[in-house]
Amino acid sequence: MNFTPNAKNSEFMITNAGLAQAERVLVSHENKQINGGSESNRYSNTKGLPLKNRPRRKKRSWSNEDALIGFFAGMSFILIFVVILLLHNQVQQSANVEVSHKDQHFEVPRLNNGYIGQISSDTIRPPRTNEEEEIDPNVVDTSPRYKHLQSKYDAIFPRRGPNKIAERRLLVKSLHKNEYHPIDFDNEANCPLHPSTDYPKAWKTMDIIANWNPDDTNPHPAIYQGICKFDFETDFEKIYNYRKAEVPFVIQNDPDVMWTVERWSHPQFMKDMLGSSNYRAEYSENNHFMYWMVGGGRKKKNKKYVRPEGWSQPTKNIRMTFDDWLDKANSTSSKTGIHDPHWYFRLIGCGGWKNCDKKSGEEFLFNELPFFYPRKSVYMVDPAEQKGIHCRFGMRGVIAENHYDGSRNVIALLNGERR
């Protein structure tokens, strides 16, 4: 085998002409080794030979034991590499979930169409209905009549679309007819990330009444109002902190609620939905609606509520059409006094609740108010405990006398004002 030194970089260049000769020399020395030479003297006799005549060392052949060791060493390396790769991916995925969790809960990312991204976690589901999510037919209205009306108004008021949120914000703002300023309360300073121990702020009842008597329907610019108002898009962290603390607060600018406001503000929408059927309503000879339950009502340890002697019920439960109620509410809106008759129109969606009033059944409310669909959301802590939707249509001056409800309530104001 010929080696030609490269004068430029002192490297050896192998020529093909010496390949056969090198093989012959190597075989010759191997035969010498087999005949009794040792590993040390195998090449000892070659020291005096010129470089070109010296044989190359033969590569050591692997035994079965060597092969087995090499196999396990290689597999161990591959296994370690795979484990490291999986751990890296898991850590990276956990970090993404954590960031995504924060973004979706508190920063509320927007999609390309401008709509708010979904909010999700182990305990929090999106307050709005996902069109691809399976809906329980026992909760919503699946009748052909409602589906026809739903398609009609979906075409007029599509749920999503370019600039829809901005347009609906303007619509909601236009429905606010009066400006009010809280007395001794600042929504920024008094509404920190977590509610304070003295929240909600309270005042003496007589001070509140003296400032604005409940029977006075004329707006008063300065009011006692100590409940925080949070924006659905920007204050989500506060919303969940205050909800966890079980204190009252107000949510504004929820896209789902604004979508309902847009549809229900159409003058023909509710007339089409309710038609000429009669629905539950309450009648009072004045503007006060006192809650009452007597005679044949609920039992308490086998004792019925007894009607007091000389007592008469303060209101009457009646049934009337929506058009009838609307005519009475509009014709007397500016003339009705506290001693004039008032009507309080009411719809009830049962949503599968077993103890619901059997005469009710306005299940389309769960279609039209998707934020109240029984699923975990900012509005629904425990869907299994839902007790339907009670939708009330009031008129100027109506007062639901001071009372408390035995369950957690979420109240959505879709139009008008409520004190």
Side-chain angles (χ1 to χ4, degrees), residues 185-201 226-230 235-251 378 381:
F185 183 81
D186 183 85
N187 199 70
E188 295 296 328
N190 296 113
C191 299
L193 185 60
H194 296 273
S196 59
T197 55
D198 61 346
Y199 178 85
K201 192 166 185 178
I227 299 177
C228 293
K229 296 184 291 185
F230 299 131
D235 295 324
F236 242 68
E237 190 171 5
K238 289 184 178 181
I239 289 173
Y240 280 104
N241 289 340
Y242 280 61
R243 192 194 75 168
K244 184 177 181 179
E246 297 192 2
V247 292
F249 57 91
V250 176
I251 298 178
V378 65
V381 177

Side-chain angles (χ1 to χ4, degrees), residues 294-311:
V294 68
R298 303 172 187 172
K299 292 183 179 180
K300 195 180 252 188
K301 294 183 179 179
N302 298 323
K303 181 179 179 181
K304 289 185 177 181
Y305 290 101
V306 179
R307 182 187 296 268
E309 185 177 354
W311 178 89

Side-chain angles (χ1 to χ4, degrees), residues 85-183:
L85 182 62
L86 290 176
L87 289 175
H88 172 76
N89 289 341
Q90 184 175 2
V91 170
Q92 183 67 26
Q93 184 180 11
S94 298
N96 287 339
V97 169
E98 183 179 353
V99 172
S100 177
H101 182 276
K102 178 180 179 181
D103 286 346
Q104 291 179 340
H105 274 213
F106 307 131
E107 296 180 11
V108 193
R110 289 186 173 277
L111 305 180
N112 293 333
N113 60 4
Y115 208 80
I116 289 181
Q118 290 189 3
I119 305 158
S120 59
S121 73
D122 294 335
T123 59
I124 302 169
R125 294 297 305 280
R128 73 178 206 268
T129 302
N130 186 341
E131 288 86 345
E132 298 179 357
E133 185 174 357
E134 184 177 354
I135 302 299
D136 187 351
N138 296 318
V139 174
V140 298
D141 190 339
T142 58
S143 66
R145 181 181 181 278
Y146 173 75
K147 287 185 176 180
H148 170 72
L149 292 172
Q150 185 181 38
S151 299
K152 172 185 174 180
Y153 284 97
D154 282 351
I156 301 174
F157 304 109
R159 191 165 183 186
R160 292 168 174 78
N163 303 320
K164 282 298 179 183
I165 290 183
E167 293 174 3
R168 287 165 185 159
R169 278 179 175 265
L170 292 176
L171 170 63
V172 170
K173 188 176 181 179
S174 69
L175 297 175
H176 295 172
K177 304 300 183 183
N178 303 299
E179 293 287 339
Y180 299 99
H181 307 286
I183 299 174

Side-chain angles (χ1 to χ4, degrees), residues 373-387:
Y373 184 88
R375 77 174 122 244
K376 287 184 177 180
S377 71
V378 65
Y379 305 111
M380 189 76 63
V381 177
D382 187 358
E385 294 296 323
Q386 75 91 12
K387 293 179 172 58

Side-chain angles (χ1 to χ4, degrees), residues 229-377:
K229 296 184 291 185
F230 299 131
D231 188 278
F232 182 88
E233 299 187 50
T234 60
D235 295 324
F236 242 68
E237 190 171 5
K238 289 184 178 181
I239 289 173
Y240 280 104
N241 289 340
Y242 280 61
R243 192 194 75 168
K244 184 177 181 179
E246 297 192 2
V247 292
F249 57 91
V250 176
I251 298 178
Q252 297 177 324
N253 298 321
D254 180 344
D256 264 349
V257 178
M258 292 192 294
W259 174 71
T260 302
V261 170
E262 183 181 45
R263 291 162 69 92
W264 286 28
S265 296
H266 190 283
Q268 194 62 32
F269 177 84
M270 199 56 67
K271 293 182 178 183
D272 286 347
M273 285 292 169
L274 301 181
S276 58
S277 299
N278 288 315
Y279 297 89
R280 176 198 291 257
E282 296 171 47
Y283 169 80
S284 176
E285 294 181 353
N286 53 50
N287 65 322
H288 292 260
F289 286 76
M290 175 71 72
Y291 177 82
W292 57 273
M293 175 76 70
V294 68
R298 303 172 187 172
K299 292 183 179 180
K300 195 180 252 188
K301 294 183 179 179
N302 298 323
K303 181 179 179 181
K304 289 185 177 181
Y305 290 101
V306 179
R307 182 187 296 268
E309 185 177 354
W311 178 89
S312 61
Q313 61 191 46
T315 62
K316 295 180 181 179
N317 293 322
I318 63 173
R319 299 187 74 83
M320 63 191 305
T321 66
F322 175 77
D323 285 343
D324 189 12
W325 171 84
L326 187 62
D327 289 341
K328 295 180 183 300
N330 287 336
S331 63
T332 61
S333 60
S334 60
K335 303 176 183 178
T336 303
I338 61 175
H339 300 294
D340 295 321
H342 285 70
W343 291 262
Y344 208 1
F345 192 77
R346 184 177 182 182
L347 302 174
I348 299 177
C350 296
W353 182 38
K354 297 179 180 179
N355 296 329
C356 189
D357 184 354
K358 303 304 181 182
K359 295 181 181 179
S360 304
E362 292 78 60
E363 302 310 302
F364 75 90
L365 292 175
F366 285 94
N367 303 75
E368 293 296 321
L369 308 174
F371 42 90
F372 283 161
Y373 184 88
R375 77 174 122 244
K376 287 184 177 180
S377 71

